[in-house]
Amino acid sequence: MNGHFSEFEDEYLEMMYQFFEKQPSQPVRNGDLAESLRVSPASATEMVQRLAAKGFVTYVPYKGSSLTEKGMEHGKKMKRRHRLAEVFLAGLSFEGDIHATACRLEHAIDDDLEVALSLLLGQPQFDPSGRDIPMASSEISKRIQSSQSQLVSLGSMDDGVSGKVEALFLSASEIEVFNQYGLSLGAEVTRTSDGCSLSNGELARFEDTLSAKILVRISQS
């Protein structure tokens, strides 16, 4: 039960952060929170009171609640992880419900996985719907900047950086495009301003959506 309750807390704080994105200075009424989360008004009121007791929100009966600094940090973190999960699923050409699946995945993303996803996805700024992905916390940002991980998407590589193709998240039709250039797993590539240079000197040009699905192990300098 404790695990489920923790996920409920996550959902409420994430939804309150979503309200904050739209109207930063406006308290969130329990009825609006209940409607958005598809729960009863009584359940929303009970949870808001619990979150207030834990210092995540300030609650004024009949007026609404607002995130405290502690609640803002948590809600922002959950929203970031949800939108990172959506970017990841979209990059896999996932055919299911991206939003619903990301809602489940976000609770399984810890700090270590958030760092790994951020690096893997090239630190995206927008989710598949074009919404802003909240910035990482200062602690996560430091870890991202200092990470020694060298596995990145082709699309996120800087010009002039070289590496070896190590993994592909491509559909059958996309693999055909990939193979047209004579590429395969283990191929050496160098990122250029308009594509990537192959070991044989040829230039391959991929659309951004395809480049994001090709993972490259960066060569150590």
Side-chain angles (χ1 to χ4, degrees):
M1 290 298 293
N2 289 338
H4 289 300
F5 180 73
S6 176
E7 288 191 9
F8 290 148
E9 288 181 318
D10 288 344
E11 292 291 342
Y12 273 80
L13 292 172
E14 181 184 354
M15 182 57 68
M16 287 197 65
Y17 180 79
Q18 187 166 310
F19 274 100
F20 170 81
E21 286 182 312
K22 297 176 181 177
Q23 296 180 303
S25 60
Q26 193 75 17
V28 182
R29 293 183 178 276
N30 290 352
D32 294 334
L33 198 55
E35 182 179 357
S36 297
L37 291 169
R38 299 181 181 179
V39 298
S40 69
S43 294
T45 298
E46 179 182 359
M47 178 60 82
V48 166
Q49 291 172 338
R50 287 175 180 265
L51 292 172
K54 293 185 175 186
F56 288 105
V57 304
T58 55
Y59 173 54
V60 180
Y62 308 109
K63 290 189 176 180
S65 54
S66 301
L67 292 168
T68 62
E69 183 177 350
K70 177 181 176 182
M72 183 72 71
E73 181 180 351
H74 193 87
K76 181 179 180 181
K77 175 181 71 176
M78 295 310 301
K79 183 56 69 179
R80 172 178 169 79
R81 291 177 177 180
H82 176 98
R83 290 177 179 167
L84 282 175
E86 288 197 345
V87 174
F88 177 69
L89 290 169
L92 293 178
S93 299
F94 180 68
E95 296 182 356
D97 188 325
I98 287 181
H99 176 75
T101 304
C103 280
R104 296 191 293 272
L105 287 178
E106 67 189 48
H107 303 290
I109 299 176
D110 58 11
D111 288 358
D112 294 335
L113 186 51
E114 182 181 340
V115 171
L117 280 174
S118 298
L119 290 166
L120 175 61
L121 299 173
Q123 302 185 55
Q125 296 182 330
F126 305 101
D127 73 1
S129 298
R131 294 166 299 189
D132 290 342
I133 295 177
M135 293 182 62
S137 67
S138 58
E139 178 65 25
I140 295 296
S141 293
K142 289 178 183 176
R143 291 186 57 185
I144 291 172
Q145 296 304 318
S146 63
S147 175
Q148 296 303 307
S149 173
Q150 297 296 306
L151 186 63
V152 299
S153 69
L154 177 61
S156 66
M157 290 169 60
D158 292 329
D159 292 351
V161 174
S162 300
K164 181 182 296 185
V165 177
E166 188 154 306
L168 306 170
F169 294 111
L170 306 177
S171 65
S173 60
E174 289 171 333
I175 288 178
E176 288 183 10
V177 175
F178 181 80
N179 289 337
Q180 285 177 3
Y181 292 99
L183 281 167
S184 61
L185 289 175
E188 294 286 344
V189 296
T190 301
R191 181 69 180 182
T192 67
S193 59
D194 55 355
C196 65
S197 176
L198 312 183
S199 57
N200 61 8
E202 293 187 10
L203 182 66
R205 295 184 176 90
F206 299 114
E207 293 184 0
D208 292 343
T209 53
L210 189 59
S211 295
K213 302 176 184 180
I214 300 171
L215 303 188
V216 179
R217 178 73 64 181
I218 300 300
S219 303
Q220 298 291 335
S221 56

